[in-house]
Structures are given as C-alpha cells and as structure tokens.
Amino acid sequence: MATITVFTPAYNRAHTLIRTYESLLNQNNKDFIWLIVDDGSTDNTAELVKSWQANDNGFEIRYLYKENGGMHTAHNVAYEHIDTELNVCIDSDDMLAERAIEIILLKWNEVSKYNYAGIVGLDSDFNGKILGTTFPDGITETTLSGYYANGGSGDKKLVYRTDIIKSTPEYPVFEGEKYVALAYKYRLIDQEYKLATLNEVLCHVEYQADGSSNTMYRQYVKNPKGFAFWRKICMQFPTSKKRLIIDNIHYVSSCILAKRLFKGITESPCPFYSVLSILPGALLAVYSLHKAKH
C-alpha cells in the first residue's frame, strides 16, 4: 500500500486539472495514490480522468463522483475513502512542487515517532514566491492556529495523519448552503496535537477568479449558517482576546444574514460579547451584502 494519498476535490476544473496531473507524473517518488473527488462537475472531468487511469502512471488513480455540495463535502467523501497513513489535499488548479512527495516522506521518517498530527509546509505561487511567511529558525513544531496567532501569514500546505483527521467529526452540512471552513477540523486537531514544520515549498497555487478566495463576500451572504458555525468553533477555542472580539462580530453578522439573530445569541459560546457585537455585526452584514453585489 502507498504511504500517502494526494486528494483533489474538483468542480468543473478539467482545464486546470491537467497541470495537477502533470505535476504528479513528474514526481520522482511515486509512493502515493491520487484520489479525485468530483463534486458534481458538468464538464469533461470524468472522461479526462478515465483516460489517465488507462495510462502507466506509476501511481494509482482513484475517482469518486458525488452530487455538488461544496468543498467541505468533497473533503468528507475523501476522508471516508482514504486508507493510507498520510494524506494531503492539492486543489484542482494547483501543482505539487517538484520532489514534494519525496520531501514529505523523508520528513515524516524523521518525525513520525514524536506523535505529530502531521507536517505543515509552504505554498508558493507559480513563480516560486512563497505565500506569506516561512517558519522562524528554531521552530520545529507548531499548531496551525498558534502559527497564525503568533504573526504567521499565508496559506500553508497541510499533510495530516489519516487516523487523526478521521477521528474528528465530519464537516456539517447546512441545507441550501455549500461552505464550511476547512479549518474546522484543523482547529479541533490543534487542541491535542502539533504539526512538524517544514520550510520547503510543497505546492504551487493559483487563485481562480471564480474560486472561493476571490468570492468571499458572496460566500458570506450565501452560506451564513456555515460561517456562523465556524465562528462558534473559533469562540470556543480563541487564540487571543482581539480575535475573540472579531469572531463575535463575524458571528453576529452571519446570524443576521441567516435571519436568526436571537437564536444565535442564545447559542453563542460568549453571549456577553455577542450582545456587544450586535451593532458592528449589523454593519458588517450590510457591508457584506453590498460587496457581494459587485
């Protein structure tokens, strides 16, 4: 059995999935499985993957189709079917960096005895510019939330132990909504485990014009219950007093957008702060509605 599963949620990304595939073909270490979770694509993703499966790739390609439900539901399906020791998500418009699999497995051989949840490495753009900050010299381990709370920035590539990621609850599904923060599982894992840091680029990323990063205000408006859920988790495990206040404002804003402010206040882990956040939360809700139209 392979050591690591590279899984890729895909929704109408046949035109970019090709470069993801090519980056896997170029790996010098093929000790991995590629799992594509097709989140209801209507393009030729299925046919494209089928043609790749017929090739002598040097690694197994698995394909699963599901009805469209959003990125978090594709992650749920992926985790149900992953049976390797490690897993890493590479989005359908990204590329695995040269030698990434080799680098990950060499690092894991060094640190697996320390009961880490996995490894956290770096992302870069297609020109090789690292996103955000690297890990400070001398820092060999961190939690993801602790890294950002201490001034870290930029997307990072997460390689998790499959047994640990499966031990956390699934991402919840809210009727009519298609977004829940993937960081939900990561925040829960942070409470019990650390990640080994790796100052190496593991993935080259590109943000699509119609991707979630570039349509965030529309996501806020379309998925208020999902965002309120995430803010409640943040409030239960705050990283600072300032962050707690910000999360309360966002929570109230999402509750207003979901038309359940009173119920939201009663369910808040920090009802006092949530009540104080009603006015700024209302202003944020109005601003989000305005931005979502543009």
Side-chain angles (χ1 to χ4, degrees), residues 126-266:
F126 282 3
N127 295 318
K129 181 181 179 181
I130 292 172
L131 303 185
T133 55
T134 58
F135 303 106
D137 292 340
I139 300 298
T140 60
E141 61 183 26
T142 185
T143 61
L144 189 63
S145 54
Y147 168 72
Y148 291 121
N150 288 303
S153 65
D155 285 347
K156 297 292 173 279
K157 187 49 56 188
L158 300 164
V159 182
Y160 275 109
R161 277 171 46 190
T162 300
D163 62 331
I164 289 179
I165 203 81
K166 284 188 173 187
S167 71
T168 59
E170 286 192 344
Y171 295 103
V173 177
F174 297 97
E175 186 176 356
E177 297 192 7
K178 295 183 179 180
Y179 183 93
V180 170
L182 298 178
Y184 162 56
K185 277 180 172 280
Y186 313 152
R187 183 63 65 92
L188 296 183
I189 291 171
D190 278 353
Q191 309 314 306
E192 297 185 45
Y193 298 92
K194 290 185 176 181
L195 296 160
T197 59
L198 180 57
N199 264 323
E200 298 268 5
V201 173
L202 302 178
C203 184
H204 302 298
V205 307
E206 180 180 67
Y207 296 112
Q208 300 295 310
D210 60 346
S212 61
S213 297
N214 289 329
T215 60
M216 191 52 68
Y217 283 105
R218 270 177 275 168
Q219 299 282 2
Y220 286 154
V221 173
K222 287 183 177 181
N223 306 284
K225 293 178 183 177
F227 275 98
F229 169 82
W230 165 236
R231 298 300 177 181
K232 284 173 70 175
I233 296 299
C234 293
M235 290 151 64
Q236 290 174 37
F237 306 108
T239 56
S240 69
K241 187 68 168 291
K242 177 182 177 181
R243 191 67 242 181
L244 179 63
I245 293 170
I246 292 171
D247 286 327
N248 269 275
I249 293 171
H250 279 271
Y251 175 70
V252 169
S253 174
S254 294
C255 289
I256 291 171
L257 292 171
K259 299 179 181 178
R260 59 191 307 274
L261 176 59
F262 178 76
K263 188 171 180 60
I265 295 295
T266 61

Side-chain angles (χ1 to χ4, degrees), residues 2-5 29-32 85-87 99-112 119 159 198 202:
T3 304
I4 185 169
T5 295
N29 186 320
K30 300 292 179 64
D31 186 16
F32 64 91
E85 181 181 5
L86 301 173
N87 66 85
R99 297 181 53 246
I101 296 296
E102 178 188 31
I103 292 167
I104 290 169
L105 297 183
L106 285 173
K107 181 67 174 181
W108 188 241
N109 284 336
E110 293 176 9
V111 303
S112 59
I119 298 166
V159 182
L198 180 57
L202 302 178

